[in-house]
Amino acid sequence: MEEKIKKKKGVTKRDIIELSIVVVVFLLIYLTGSQAEVFGKVQQAVLVTGVANASALDADEVVDADYNFRLVNEEGNKIDVRDLKGKTLFINIWATWCPPCVAEMPNINSLYNKIENKDDIVFLMISHDDEMKTARTWVKRKGFDFPVFKLASPLPDVFETGVVPSTFVVSPEGKIVVSKTGMANYDTKRFKKYLLKLAEK
């Protein structure tokens, strides 16, 4: 004897509850401004897989770096990037509202802490946030150690991609040897070795 299962028509009470929960979660994420944090965590899982390791991110075409710009640090002091010629520069352009930036920050901070000769390898973490206070507060809350900068003059065209995050490595000879848009895991043995080798030249 076969029993016929009656299909329920319309929306059930359970459907309404489930939809309400989803809406409330997304509203909380939106209203608390946590979109970058939440989606950044999701993207961190991608970095853990190793598919975006920065082991060999050589620029497609090595071009001359343009040092003609200035930055302001967390204390409000201006830095002329021209004074950094002859050093290896790790330049990362980022923002707290950018999920891929949030995703790659822990591994950049880890790499920063593993580099001992910071006189020869300089990290320029340039925030695109409107206010320095926003970037500084976020970095402090996360427990990151790298210094934060804001632009004090226009960014040279050679570094202007229109994308955050964008990362460049400039050799002591003034060449852009790494150019990467989008997130990557820079905390690899190979990438660290690459930076150290550049700084030896």
Side-chain angles (χ1 to χ4, degrees):
M1 181 176 172
E2 293 182 2
E3 287 186 23
K4 290 185 179 178
I5 300 172
K6 292 181 181 178
K7 289 184 179 178
K8 293 182 180 179
K9 293 182 180 180
V11 179
T12 66
K13 188 176 180 181
R14 181 180 175 135
D15 293 334
I16 293 170
I17 292 171
E18 289 176 353
L19 180 61
S20 298
I21 291 170
V22 170
V23 170
V24 168
V25 168
F26 276 98
L27 271 175
L28 282 172
I29 291 171
Y30 178 76
L31 293 174
T32 59
S34 303
Q35 304 97 311
E37 295 285 338
V38 172
F39 296 120
K41 287 288 185 188
V42 172
Q43 291 174 336
Q44 275 178 11
V46 175
L47 292 179
V48 169
T49 66
V51 297
N53 279 356
S55 54
L57 290 174
D58 293 334
D60 294 333
E61 182 182 348
V62 174
V63 296
D64 290 333
D66 186 345
Y67 292 89
N68 191 28
F69 65 108
R70 293 181 306 283
L71 302 171
V72 60
N73 67 13
E74 298 172 61
E75 290 77 37
N77 301 318
K78 288 192 177 173
I79 289 102
D80 192 327
V81 178
R82 286 176 292 194
D83 294 337
L84 300 176
K85 282 183 180 179
K87 298 178 183 292
T88 298
L89 306 182
F90 179 94
I91 301 172
N92 181 270
I93 301 163
W94 65 284
T96 60
W97 44 260
C98 158
C101 302
V102 170
E104 69 178 5
M105 283 298 161
N107 70 71
I108 291 177
N109 189 66
S110 178
L111 173 68
Y112 174 78
N113 284 319
K114 289 175 183 173
I115 299 295
E116 294 176 0
N117 54 333
K118 292 184 177 71
D119 288 336
D120 298 320
I121 301 173
V122 179
F123 282 67
L124 298 177
M125 304 296 292
I126 304 171
S127 169
H128 259 358
D129 287 285
D130 292 335
E131 300 291 333
M132 170 64 89
K133 184 180 178 182
T134 304
R136 189 175 56 231
T137 301
W138 185 83
V139 166
K140 186 176 180 181
R141 180 168 57 85
K142 290 293 186 180
F144 296 148
D145 307 299
F146 51 70
V148 178
F149 300 90
K150 288 274 299 165
L151 286 168
S153 68
L155 193 66
D157 289 343
V158 73
F159 297 117
E160 191 59 74
T161 66
V163 176
V164 286
S166 289
T167 304
F168 305 90
V169 173
V170 178
S171 72
E173 294 76 29
K175 303 292 184 183
I176 298 175
V177 292
V178 171
S179 178
K180 166 72 177 165
T181 55
M183 68 178 185
N185 177 16
Y186 298 97
D187 187 24
T188 66
K189 287 181 180 178
R190 190 170 177 184
F191 190 77
K192 179 189 171 187
K193 186 177 179 182
Y194 181 66
L195 286 181
L196 294 174
K197 190 174 180 182
L198 281 175
E200 288 173 2
K201 294 179 181 179

